[in-house]
Coordinates of all heavy atoms in Angstrom, one line a residue:
M273 N -49.1 1.3 25.9 CA -48.5 0.1 26.4 C -48.0 -0.7 25.2 O -48.8 -1.1 24.4 CB -49.3 -0.7 27.3 CG -48.6 -1.9 27.9 SD -49.5 -2.6 29.3 CE -51.0 -3.2 28.4
G274 N -46.8 -1.1 25.2 CA -46.3 -2.0 24.2 C -45.4 -3.1 24.7 O -44.7 -2.9 25.7
H275 N -45.6 -4.3 24.2 CA -44.9 -5.5 24.6 C -43.9 -5.9 23.5 O -44.3 -6.0 22.3 CB -45.9 -6.6 24.9 CG -45.2 -7.9 25.1 ND1 -45.5 -9.0 24.4 CD2 -44.3 -8.3 26.0 CE1 -44.8 -10.1 24.8 NE2 -44.1 -9.6 25.7
S276 N -42.7 -6.2 23.9 CA -41.7 -6.7 23.0 C -41.6 -5.8 21.7 O -41.3 -4.7 21.8 CB -42.0 -8.2 22.6 OG -41.0 -8.8 21.9
M277 N -41.8 -6.4 20.5 CA -41.8 -5.6 19.4 C -42.7 -4.3 19.4 O -42.3 -3.3 19.1 CB -42.2 -6.4 18.1 CG -42.2 -5.6 16.8 SD -42.9 -6.6 15.5 CE -44.7 -6.5 15.9
G278 N -43.9 -4.5 20.0 CA -44.7 -3.4 20.2 C -44.2 -2.4 21.2 O -44.5 -1.2 21.1
G279 N -43.4 -2.9 22.2 CA -42.8 -2.0 23.1 C -41.7 -1.1 22.4 O -41.6 0.1 22.7
K280 N -40.9 -1.6 21.5 CA -40.0 -0.9 20.7 C -40.7 0.1 19.8 O -40.2 1.3 19.7 CB -39.1 -1.8 19.9 CG -38.1 -2.5 20.7 CD -37.0 -3.2 19.8 CE -35.8 -3.7 20.6 NZ -34.8 -4.3 19.7
A281 N -41.8 -0.3 19.2 CA -42.6 0.7 18.4 C -43.1 1.8 19.3 O -43.2 3.0 18.9 CB -43.7 0.0 17.7
A282 N -43.6 1.4 20.5 CA -44.1 2.4 21.4 C -43.1 3.4 21.8 O -43.3 4.6 21.9 CB -44.8 1.8 22.6
M283 N -41.8 2.9 22.1 CA -40.8 3.8 22.5 C -40.4 4.7 21.4 O -40.1 5.9 21.6 CB -39.5 2.9 23.0 CG -39.7 2.3 24.3 SD -38.2 1.5 24.9 CE -38.2 0.0 23.9
Q284 N -40.3 4.1 20.2 CA -40.0 5.0 19.0 C -41.0 6.1 18.8 O -40.6 7.3 18.5 CB -40.0 4.1 17.7 CG -39.6 4.8 16.4 CD -38.1 5.0 16.4 OE1 -37.6 5.7 15.5 NE2 -37.3 4.4 17.2
L285 N -42.3 5.8 19.1 CA -43.3 6.9 19.0 C -43.2 7.9 20.1 O -43.3 9.1 19.8 CB -44.7 6.2 19.0 CG -45.9 7.2 18.9 CD1 -45.9 8.0 17.6 CD2 -47.2 6.5 19.2
A286 N -42.8 7.5 21.3 CA -42.7 8.4 22.4 C -41.5 9.3 22.2 O -41.6 10.5 22.5 CB -42.4 7.6 23.7
L287 N -40.5 8.8 21.5 CA -39.2 9.7 21.3 C -39.5 10.6 20.1 O -38.8 11.7 20.1 CB -38.1 8.8 21.0 CG -37.6 7.9 22.2 CD1 -36.5 6.9 21.7 CD2 -37.1 8.8 23.3
T288 N -40.4 10.3 19.2 CA -40.5 11.1 18.0 C -41.8 11.9 18.0 O -41.9 12.9 17.3 CB -40.4 10.2 16.7 OG1 -41.4 9.1 16.9 CG2 -39.1 9.6 16.6
R289 N -42.8 11.4 18.7 CA -44.1 12.1 18.8 C -44.6 12.2 20.2 O -45.7 11.6 20.5 CB -45.2 11.5 17.8 CG -44.9 11.7 16.4 CD -45.1 13.1 15.9 NE -46.4 13.7 16.3 CZ -47.5 13.6 15.7 NH1 -47.6 12.8 14.6 NH2 -48.6 14.2 16.1
P290 N -43.8 12.8 21.1 CA -44.2 12.8 22.6 C -45.5 13.5 22.8 O -46.2 13.2 23.8 CB -43.0 13.5 23.2 CG -42.4 14.3 22.2 CD -42.6 13.5 20.9
D291 N -45.9 14.3 21.8 CA -47.2 15.0 22.1 C -48.4 14.1 22.1 O -49.5 14.5 22.6 CB -47.4 16.1 20.9 CG -47.3 15.5 19.5 OD1 -46.2 14.9 19.2 OD2 -48.3 15.5 18.8
L292 N -48.3 12.9 21.5 CA -49.4 12.0 21.4 C -49.6 11.1 22.7 O -50.7 10.5 22.8 CB -49.2 11.1 20.2 CG -49.2 11.7 18.8 CD1 -49.0 10.6 17.8 CD2 -50.6 12.4 18.6
L293 N -48.6 11.2 23.6 CA -48.7 10.3 24.7 C -48.7 11.1 26.0 O -48.0 12.0 26.2 CB -47.5 9.3 24.8 CG -47.2 8.5 23.5 CD1 -46.0 7.6 23.6 CD2 -48.4 7.7 23.0
R294 N -49.5 10.5 27.0 CA -49.4 11.0 28.4 C -48.4 10.1 29.2 O -47.5 10.5 29.8 CB -50.7 10.9 29.0 CG -50.8 11.5 30.4 CD -52.2 11.3 31.1 NE -52.3 9.9 31.5 CZ -52.9 9.6 32.7 NH1 -53.3 10.5 33.6 NH2 -53.0 8.3 33.0
R295 N -48.6 8.8 29.1 CA -47.7 7.9 29.8 C -47.3 6.7 28.8 O -48.1 6.4 27.9 CB -48.4 7.3 31.0 CG -48.7 8.4 32.1 CD -49.3 7.7 33.3 NE -49.6 8.7 34.3 CZ -49.9 8.4 35.6 NH1 -49.9 7.2 36.0 NH2 -50.2 9.5 36.5
L296 N -46.2 6.1 29.1 CA -45.7 5.0 28.4 C -45.4 3.9 29.3 O -44.9 4.0 30.4 CB -44.3 5.4 27.7 CG -43.6 4.3 26.9 CD1 -44.4 3.9 25.7 CD2 -42.2 4.8 26.6
I297 N -45.9 2.6 28.8 CA -45.6 1.4 29.6 C -44.9 0.4 28.6 O -45.5 0.2 27.5 CB -46.8 0.7 30.1 CG1 -47.7 1.7 31.0 CG2 -46.5 -0.5 30.9 CD1 -48.8 2.4 30.3
V298 N -43.7 0.0 28.9 CA -43.0 -0.9 28.1 C -42.8 -2.2 28.7 O -42.3 -2.3 29.8 CB -41.6 -0.3 27.8 CG1 -40.8 -1.2 26.8 CG2 -41.7 1.1 27.1
A299 N -43.3 -3.3 28.1 CA -43.3 -4.6 28.7 C -42.1 -5.5 28.1 O -42.2 -5.8 27.0 CB -44.6 -5.3 28.5
D300 N -41.1 -5.8 28.9 CA -40.2 -6.8 28.7 C -39.3 -6.5 27.4 O -39.0 -7.4 26.7 CB -40.8 -8.1 28.6 CG -39.9 -9.2 29.2 OD1 -39.2 -9.0 30.1 OD2 -40.0 -10.4 28.7
I301 N -38.9 -5.3 27.3 CA -38.0 -4.9 26.1 C -37.2 -3.7 26.5 O -37.7 -2.8 27.3 CB -38.7 -4.8 24.8 CG1 -37.9 -5.0 23.6 CG2 -39.5 -3.5 24.7 CD1 -37.5 -6.5 23.4
A302 N -36.1 -3.4 25.9 CA -35.3 -2.2 26.1 C -35.0 -1.6 24.7 O -35.1 -2.2 23.7 CB -34.0 -2.5 26.8
P303 N -34.7 -0.3 24.7 CA -34.4 0.4 23.4 C -32.9 0.1 23.0 O -32.1 1.0 22.9 CB -34.5 1.9 23.8 CG -34.2 1.9 25.2 CD -34.6 0.7 25.9
V304 N -32.7 -1.2 22.7 CA -31.3 -1.7 22.3 C -31.5 -2.7 21.3 O -32.6 -3.3 21.1 CB -30.5 -2.3 23.5 CG1 -30.3 -1.2 24.6 CG2 -31.2 -3.5 24.1
A305 N -30.4 -3.0 20.5 CA -30.4 -4.2 19.5 C -30.1 -5.5 20.3 O -29.3 -5.4 21.2 CB -29.4 -3.9 18.5
Y306 N -30.8 -6.5 19.9 CA -30.5 -7.8 20.5 C -29.9 -8.8 19.5 O -30.0 -8.6 18.3 CB -31.9 -8.5 21.0 CG -32.5 -7.7 22.2 CD1 -33.4 -6.6 22.0 CD2 -32.2 -8.0 23.5 CE1 -33.9 -6.0 23.0 CE2 -32.8 -7.4 24.5 CZ -33.6 -6.3 24.3 OH -34.2 -5.6 25.4
A307 N -29.2 -9.8 20.1 CA -28.4 -10.7 19.2 C -29.3 -11.9 18.8 O -29.0 -12.7 17.9 CB -27.2 -11.1 19.9
H308 N -30.4 -12.2 19.6 CA -31.2 -13.3 19.3 C -31.9 -13.2 17.9 O -32.0 -12.1 17.3 CB -32.3 -13.6 20.4 CG -33.3 -12.5 20.4 ND1 -33.2 -11.4 21.2 CD2 -34.5 -12.4 19.8 CE1 -34.2 -10.6 21.0 NE2 -35.0 -11.2 20.2
D309 N -32.3 -14.3 17.4 CA -33.0 -14.3 16.1 C -34.3 -15.2 16.1 O -34.3 -16.2 16.7 CB -32.0 -15.0 15.1 CG -32.5 -15.0 13.6 OD1 -33.5 -14.3 13.4 OD2 -31.9 -15.6 12.7
Q310 N -35.3 -14.6 15.6 CA -36.6 -15.3 15.6 C -37.0 -15.8 14.2 O -38.1 -16.2 14.0 CB -37.7 -14.2 16.1 CG -37.5 -13.8 17.5 CD -38.0 -14.9 18.5 OE1 -38.6 -15.9 18.1 NE2 -37.6 -14.7 19.7
T311 N -36.1 -15.9 13.3 CA -36.5 -16.2 12.0 C -36.8 -17.7 11.9 O -37.7 -18.2 11.1 CB -35.3 -16.1 10.9 OG1 -34.1 -16.7 11.4 CG2 -35.0 -14.6 10.8
R312 N -36.2 -18.6 12.8 CA -36.6 -20.0 12.7 C -38.1 -20.3 13.0 O -38.6 -21.2 12.5 CB -35.7 -20.7 13.7 CG -35.9 -20.6 15.1 CD -35.0 -21.4 16.0 NE -35.4 -21.3 17.4 CZ -36.3 -22.1 18.0 NH1 -36.9 -23.0 17.3 NH2 -36.5 -22.0 19.2
N313 N -38.7 -19.4 13.8 CA -40.0 -19.6 14.2 C -41.0 -19.3 13.0 O -41.9 -19.9 12.7 CB -40.4 -18.7 15.4 CG -39.8 -19.3 16.7 OD1 -39.7 -20.5 16.9 ND2 -39.3 -18.4 17.6
A314 N -40.6 -18.1 12.3 CA -41.4 -17.8 11.1 C -41.2 -18.9 10.0 O -42.2 -19.3 9.4 CB -40.8 -16.5 10.6
R315 N -40.0 -19.4 10.0 CA -39.8 -20.5 9.0 C -40.5 -21.8 9.4 O -41.2 -22.5 8.5 CB -38.3 -20.8 8.8 CG -37.8 -21.6 7.6 CD -36.4 -21.6 7.4 NE -35.8 -20.2 7.3 CZ -34.9 -19.7 8.1 NH1 -34.4 -20.5 9.1 NH2 -34.4 -18.5 7.8
A316 N -40.6 -22.1 10.6 CA -41.3 -23.3 11.1 C -42.8 -23.2 10.8 O -43.4 -24.2 10.4 CB -41.1 -23.5 12.6
M317 N -43.4 -22.0 11.0 CA -44.8 -21.9 10.7 C -45.0 -22.0 9.2 O -45.9 -22.6 8.7 CB -45.3 -20.6 11.2 CG -45.5 -20.5 12.7 SD -46.2 -19.0 13.4 CE -44.7 -18.1 13.6
A318 N -44.2 -21.3 8.4 CA -44.3 -21.2 6.9 C -44.1 -22.6 6.3 O -44.8 -22.9 5.2 CB -43.3 -20.3 6.3

Side-chain angles (χ1 to χ4, degrees):
M273 176 168 64
H275 170 240
S276 190
M277 179 190 75
K280 283 190 171 182
M283 288 187 282
Q284 184 77 193
L285 180 61
L287 295 171
T288 56
R289 290 292 308 276
D291 56 298
L292 294 178
L293 306 185
R294 186 186 73 140
R295 296 185 181 191
L296 174 69
I297 306 97
V298 180
D300 217 30
I301 203 75
V304 300
Y306 291 89
H308 66 270
D309 186 9
Q310 295 283 350
T311 55
R312 69 178 188 87
N313 292 321
R315 198 170 299 124
M317 286 182 272

